[in-house]
């Protein structure tokens, strides 16, 4: 059986990340948690990852991209780069919901307890986040939405042992839930392209590919341009 190499791109959050997987397992990745560096770092990381793995562009079976929700600019950069590679190399494009990938990575690293509800969060602005909820095994409970989080947002359910919050949007809620035993915030969760490996390989095996002409990132909300206030 021919090995399946998939190049994976994650730019939905402040982390710019590229990974290479072989048959669904990450073999090398590069990350940089530096805001506003996606445009300058992404192509460099792609070259570095391929060089480290000693894999040529012609050896790739597909390109996978984190499709959002997330940063409007980051998603534009990641998706346009992925589509450009797929056009140039005649490769299929695989798109993975960013929150799905975060959950897959969290489960792999933490083995959450049964009864917990996993809540990946991507920072929007102020107290708003993009989020979804999943079982401890990764089954989707409630789909992606934009929510404003307040102290009483997570109503206790007898079937839920604990709500576990993680991701770039969760860190700001540590003070809000510090005295709530039903909500646990996992700080500094690292979003990375390595989280896409298993999901991307599954989609490749199912030939669940995107239409290069029509595919767009999942922004969830329209982009709103702002201008600095005059002093």
């Amino acid at each position: 059986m021919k090995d399946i190499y998939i190049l994976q791109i994650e730019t939905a959050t402040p982390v710019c990340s590229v990974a290479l997987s072989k048959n669904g397992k990450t073999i090398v990745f590069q990350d940089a948690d530096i805001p506003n560096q996606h445009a300058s770092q992404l192509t460099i990381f792609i070259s570095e990852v391929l060089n480290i793995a000693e894999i040529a562009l012609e050896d790739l079976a597909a390109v996978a991209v984190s499709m959002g929700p997330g940063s409007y600019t980051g998603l534009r950069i990641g998706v346009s780069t992925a589509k450009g590679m797929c056009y140039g190399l005649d490769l299929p494009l695989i798109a993975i919901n960013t929150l799905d990938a975060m959950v897959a990575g969290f489960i792999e690293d933490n083995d959450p307890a049964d009864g917990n509800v996993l809540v990946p969060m991507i920072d929007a602005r102020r107290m708003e986040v993009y989020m979804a909820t999943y079982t401890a095994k990764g089954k989707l409970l409630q789909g992606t939405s934009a929510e404003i989080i307040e102290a009483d947002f997570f109503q206790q359910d007898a079937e839920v042992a604990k709500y576990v919050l993680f991701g770039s949007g969760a860190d700001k809620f540590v003070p809000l839930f510090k005295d709530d035993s039903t909500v646990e915030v996992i700080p500094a969760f690292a979003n990375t392209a390595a989280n896409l490996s298993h999901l991307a390989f599954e989609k490749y095996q199912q030939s669940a590919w995107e239409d290069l002409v029509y595919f767009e990132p999942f922004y969830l909300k329209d982009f709103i341009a702002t201008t600095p206030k005059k002093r």
Side-chain angles (χ1 to χ4, degrees):
M1 176 181 172
K2 182 180 178 181
D3 289 325
I4 303 301
Y5 292 100
I6 300 177
L7 183 75
Q8 298 157 191
I9 295 172
E10 168 60 76
T11 57
T13 69
V15 177
C16 178
S17 178
V18 175
L20 182 70
S21 64
K22 175 182 176 182
N23 302 329
K25 301 293 184 182
T26 305
I27 57 176
V28 62
F29 66 93
Q30 293 276 53
D31 294 338
D33 190 359
I34 306 173
N36 305 318
Q37 294 297 308
H38 298 76
S40 61
Q41 293 294 320
L42 185 55
T43 54
I44 295 173
F45 282 178
I46 291 171
S47 297
E48 289 179 348
V49 162
L50 293 174
N51 288 337
I52 292 170
E54 298 183 339
I55 295 297
L57 289 169
E58 292 73 20
D59 296 324
L60 295 176
V63 177
V65 66
S66 179
M67 65 180 286
S71 159
Y72 183 93
T73 302
L75 288 171
R76 295 289 302 177
I77 293 169
V79 169
S80 62
T81 300
K83 291 176 71 171
M85 292 186 67
C86 290
Y87 272 120
L89 298 168
D90 193 24
L91 294 174
L93 174 68
I94 298 169
I96 305 294
N97 182 290
T98 305
L99 297 171
D100 289 350
M102 290 169 63
V103 165
F106 185 85
I107 291 174
E108 184 174 351
D109 293 340
N110 295 276
D111 190 24
D114 289 340
N116 285 354
V117 169
L118 306 182
V119 190
M121 291 180 162
I122 296 172
D123 193 24
R125 59 176 63 189
R126 299 183 180 89
M127 301 302 280
E128 187 175 26
V129 296
Y130 304 135
M131 58 167 278
T133 59
Y134 303 76
T135 68
K137 300 299 184 184
K139 180 181 178 181
L140 182 66
L141 294 173
Q142 184 172 342
T144 305
S145 61
E147 303 287 352
I148 295 174
I149 306 300
E150 298 177 339
D152 61 350
F153 184 86
F154 296 100
Q155 299 294 331
Q156 183 56 29
D157 185 328
E159 297 183 358
V160 177
K162 187 178 293 185
Y163 293 94
V164 181
L165 284 49
F166 58 94
S168 65
D171 294 359
K172 61 189 176 185
F173 299 125
V174 170
L176 185 65
F177 295 113
K178 64 182 177 64
D179 297 322
D180 189 340
S181 62
T182 65
V183 179
E184 180 180 8
V185 180
I186 308 296
F189 172 81
N191 199 28
T192 171
N195 294 339
L196 277 67
S197 296
H198 176 68
L199 298 175
F201 185 59
E202 279 190 341
K203 280 201 167 186
Y204 180 85
Q205 291 178 307
Q206 299 164 2
S207 299
W209 305 331
E210 302 298 328
D211 186 316
L212 281 177
V213 175
Y214 296 106
F215 176 72
E216 291 289 337
F218 176 35
Y219 296 119
L220 190 60
K221 295 178 68 175
D222 293 335
F223 175 67
I224 300 174
T226 59
T227 55
K229 295 180 179 179
K230 294 182 180 180
R231 295 181 179 239

